[in-house]
Amino acid sequence: MEGSPSPRSVALVVPHGPPSPSPRPLRLGVLASGQGSNFEALVQASRHGALHAEVVGLVVNTPHCKALARAERLNVGATVMDHRRYTSREALDHALVDHFRALQVDVLIMAGWMRIVSPVLCQAYDQRLVNIHPSLLPAFRGLNAMERALAAGVCITGCTAHLVVPEVDAGPILIQAAVPTYPDDTVATLAPRIHAQEHRILPVAVAMAGRHLFERP
Ligand code: GRF
């Protein structure tokens, strides 16, 4: 039917809409390791009014990653903190906390941050640390979630934005989007379908985490 969405772009998002905007623009910090498409989605949502926020800094752990080039194009301050230069997970996380505290970040987002975080970061940004994961959690936690979902033969998969706790991909769920899989799917065909929904739900999740900040007693 003319005008109806292709079944391949169909998604179910729950909860559907963002909460009411925070009383002031949220100051966002973003962590990324690779492409940075979710980082860009947050910048665009902030600049175009979908999210009452400003992305005030990006940190990447991989020099020369695409996220860094996006930050330059989008004119967002970016810093490389190569994990190999730190003696421990905790040492890197302490440096991150110092960096984002100096930027007065309200909500910190792991947007493709391919590092396990320690309690140092989780506690410093308790209820304010958000991760995006390419599966319907609690299914397919950890690496290669899309590959494993396809290998398992699921008919529906998707993405989840959740608060971060020290256990990997186990924190409270904020919002999910479900998409279909097709018999001929590969990661190459499934990934864009999931990414499109990640870009849609992550700004909503950030607004939800931000609301929580202002509702605290
Ligand atoms: C996303 O699929 C996200 O779910 C996962 O890492 C990927 C990052 O993509 N944690 P990008 O770098 O934002 O394009």
Side-chain angles (χ1 to χ4, degrees):
M1 198 169 48
E2 205 180 323
S4 58
S6 147
R8 289 193 180 241
S9 63
V10 162
L12 170 67
V13 176
V14 180
H16 182 67
S20 54
S22 49
R24 62 164 171 79
L26 297 168
R27 295 177 64 80
L28 307 182
V30 180
L31 298 162
S33 302
Q35 296 292 318
S37 70
N38 281 285
F39 157 68
E40 178 153 359
L42 289 170
V43 173
Q44 301 295 5
S46 302
R47 290 186 182 168
H48 296 113
L51 178 62
H52 192 44
E54 181 189 358
V55 178
V56 296
L58 170 75
V59 168
V60 302
N61 65 317
T62 43
H64 314 302
C65 66
K66 286 214 173 135
L68 213 47
R70 285 186 203 254
E72 196 172 336
R73 171 166 55 79
L74 294 164
N75 205 19
V76 174
T79 306
V80 179
M81 292 194 185
D82 187 337
H83 57 278
R84 288 161 290 208
R85 291 175 163 271
Y86 295 83
T87 51
S88 65
R89 238 177 249 297
E90 288 74 16
L92 171 60
D93 286 357
H94 275 299
L96 290 170
V97 170
D98 289 347
H99 180 78
F100 286 115
R101 279 205 176 132
L103 290 173
Q104 297 180 297
V105 157
D106 297 309
V107 180
L108 184 58
I109 302 110
M110 294 164 54
W113 180 244
M114 302 307 286
R115 303 294 305 162
I116 293 174
V117 295
S118 72
V120 170
L121 198 66
C122 296
Q123 280 161 19
Y125 285 90
D126 182 36
Q127 311 286 314
R128 304 186 288 144
L129 184 58
V130 175
N131 182 45
I132 181 79
H133 182 78
S135 77
L136 291 176
L137 291 174
F140 308 113
R141 288 178 180 168
L143 292 175
N144 305 319
M146 287 186 268
E147 284 92 327
R148 288 185 290 125
L150 289 175
V154 298
C155 298
I156 296 173
T157 185
C159 49
T160 304
H162 64 96
L163 294 172
V164 177
V165 296
E167 191 182 344
V168 174
D169 298 329
I173 290 169
L174 294 168
I175 181 167
Q176 293 184 304
V179 302
T181 66
Y182 296 101
D184 59 349
D185 258 339
T186 61
V187 171
T189 56
L190 175 60
R193 202 174 307 134
I194 290 185
H195 278 141
Q197 299 310 317
E198 290 184 344
H199 302 162
R200 187 175 166 195
I201 69 169
L202 187 55
V204 178
V206 169
M208 292 166 82
R211 281 309 307 173
H212 187 84
L213 193 71
F214 294 105
E215 280 161 7
R216 280 179 178 180

